[in-house]
Amino acid sequence: MGVRALSSNSAISGVGTGNGTDSRLAAETAIEEAFRPLAGREPDLVLVYASVRYDLETVLKAVTAAAGPSAVVAGATTSGQLEGGRLIEPGDGIAVLALAGGGYRFGLGHATGLQADATRAGRALARAALGAAGPVRSPHEAVLLFSDGLAGDQQELLNGIHKVTGFQIPVVGGAAADDRRLAETFVFAGDRVLRDAAVAVWIGSDRPLRVAGGHGWQPTSLPLMLSGVEGQIVKELGGRPAREVFWENFRPRGGVDTKLYKKAGGYHSEHAFGLIQPDGSLLIRGAFIDSDGNLRTFSPMPPYSAVQVVSCEPDDLLEIGEEVVERVARGGEQEPSVVLVFDCVARLDILGERGHEEARRLQRAAHGAPTFGYYTYGEFARTTGVAGYHNATIAALAL
């Protein structure tokens, strides 16, 4: 599928939110607030983030009707949203961004079948979005990606995209969430609600597109070899039982609470794995003890790769979030009209009540541009190389 939008040179953006139990009313409230700054101008790009509690088809019909036939409409379900310095708690809320102008070229594509073959879906997705953007290539390009957060191997999805884009074109975005239920997540393409799918917006620009990511986690163990891996289950670390090694390096604040780590999704975990990259950096992979007592990760890790157990403090997460947003907000030739943020729900769970502080600090770091984002089940921030799917990380793009 492909939809194309080509904007003019002056960028205008608006963001809006709606809540309550009535899906149509919540959507219309968010739409009215987001479209108001455009003063009657038709948007080129509309992003929609929503709790799974809403009738999503009703929400998207309202959005696409307001956006008009030429707008690219995309988005995902969430575990909370960020809008202009406010945190919208998981379980409630619809957030809408409307963007017009700025000289951007947008192309929308989607692909299904992530579970069966994520690499193939990634290739199809990138080709559809690129084709929809049109035959004229822009000097600067990026891919904005939304995926079903509970479907398939997210890194393999990126690998498929990489086969089309090459390493020069950055990818940024988030895996859809469902208010921590871990039942079903959805992505949006126009007025369509999709699962086992991914949606991409190809962005072309005359100016550089600023993408950044960061995590704030620090190693608490020596490097360890993944000597036994079966899909998402880690069997052995350095030839020893993985769970035994993990607990040796685990230093939770206030003592071990094993009930937390049997909880589906591993929320509230203060520890994870850092997958050691060739340049020495760490790619964060969330880890938890599942109901069968297995040490499990959210996405498969390559056998015989090197990892470290990592940990973090709330202050570390707050500081890195500010750094990431400031990097994209201040790194260009002109002030952005909006900063898109993709923030892991695991970070929110670690921050607790300080999540509201994070929302304010991210907005302050944007230097006047509105922040707009959601809490994800994984983040995409690929600026070099192939790897670029993260857990417990924050990613940002300035437009």
Side-chain angles (χ1 to χ4, degrees):
M1 170 203 157
V3 176
R4 177 185 175 190
L6 179 64
S7 66
S8 60
N9 290 324
S10 179
I12 304 171
S13 70
V15 295
T17 60
N19 55 22
T21 58
D22 188 308
S23 297
R24 181 175 297 279
L25 179 59
E28 290 175 348
T29 300
I31 292 164
E32 195 280 331
E33 186 178 351
F35 281 47
R36 191 184 305 134
L38 275 59
R41 189 172 177 177
E42 291 189 0
D44 301 298
L45 175 68
V46 179
L47 298 182
V48 187
Y49 304 148
S51 165
V52 291
R53 66 172 292 184
Y54 291 104
D55 181 333
L56 300 173
E57 291 185 355
T58 295
V59 170
L60 290 184
K61 285 179 181 177
V63 172
T64 53
S70 63
V72 165
V73 178
T77 55
T78 72
S79 280
Q81 297 132 31
L82 295 156
E83 182 271 321
R86 293 195 304 125
L87 165 62
I88 302 168
E89 297 278 359
D92 193 17
I94 297 168
V96 174
L97 164 73
L99 176 73
Y104 297 110
R105 183 185 301 271
F106 299 112
L108 177 68
H110 78 265
T112 57
L114 269 64
Q115 291 280 15
D117 191 338
T119 305
R120 182 208 60 78
R123 288 197 302 267
L125 175 68
R127 287 170 181 156
L130 174 59
V136 178
R137 299 295 295 270
S138 300
H140 305 280
E141 296 173 305
V143 174
L144 177 60
L145 177 62
F146 304 98
S147 70
D148 183 336
L150 300 177
D153 186 327
Q154 305 290 336
Q155 181 56 54
E156 282 300 316
L157 175 68
L158 268 185
N159 292 349
I161 293 171
H162 181 265
K163 292 177 185 295
V164 176
T165 64
F167 69 88
Q168 303 96 333
I169 296 175
V171 179
V172 66
D178 64 349
D179 299 325
R180 302 189 182 98
R181 299 177 186 181
L182 294 175
E184 283 188 307
T185 65
F186 303 92
V187 292
F188 311 144
D191 63 356
R192 300 185 65 180
V193 180
L194 305 170
R195 65 183 302 274
D196 191 24
V199 173
V201 178
W202 194 284
I203 306 173
S205 173
D206 294 332
R207 298 180 298 276
L209 293 162
R210 291 161 274 170
V211 171
H215 54 74
W217 293 72
Q218 300 297 326
T220 62
S221 76
L222 295 173
L224 303 161
M225 178 182 287
L226 285 168
S227 52
V229 180
E230 292 181 6
Q232 292 171 253
I233 297 176
V234 181
K235 295 284 192 177
E236 290 184 355
L237 287 165
R240 297 174 55 206
R243 181 173 172 176
E244 178 181 313
V245 177
F246 188 77
W247 284 113
E248 284 178 1
N249 292 278
F250 193 95
R251 301 289 183 273
R253 293 184 292 273
V256 175
D257 182 354
T258 57
K259 292 180 182 178
L260 288 179
Y261 301 99
K262 292 179 180 178
K263 187 175 181 180
Y267 294 125
H268 309 286
S269 175
E270 298 159 4
H271 288 68
F273 282 121
L275 190 60
I276 301 174
Q277 302 300 290
D279 62 359
S281 63
L282 297 175
L283 200 66
I284 304 302
R285 288 287 182 265
F288 61 100
I289 307 299
D290 67 18
S291 58
D292 295 322
N294 296 310
L295 179 58
R296 183 181 291 270
T297 56
F298 289 103
S299 185
M301 293 193 292
Y304 304 108
S305 56
V307 300
Q308 290 178 280
V309 178
V310 295
S311 185
C312 68
E313 296 287 341
D315 285 340
D316 298 329
L317 302 184
L318 293 170
E319 288 172 11
I320 198 68
E322 283 187 302
E323 289 177 16
V324 166
V325 169
E326 184 155 7
R327 207 182 310 159
V328 299
R330 298 294 289 270
E333 300 170 358
Q334 64 183 43
E335 295 298 317
S337 60
V338 65
V339 175
L340 304 182
V341 177
F342 304 92
D343 202 350
C344 189
V345 71
R347 288 170 46 92
L348 178 60
D349 286 316
I350 293 167
L351 290 173
E353 288 299 317
R354 298 187 73 182
H356 294 276
E357 179 184 347
E358 179 185 41
R360 294 191 296 270
R361 290 173 66 159
L362 295 178
Q363 181 58 52
R364 188 165 62 242
H367 296 281
T371 51
F372 184 79
Y374 72 94
Y375 285 98
T376 72
Y377 282 172
E379 305 72 55
F380 301 103
R382 188 189 67 74
T383 54
T384 58
V386 178
Y389 171 67
H390 309 263
N391 298 138
T393 294
I394 184 169
L397 165 69
L399 292 175

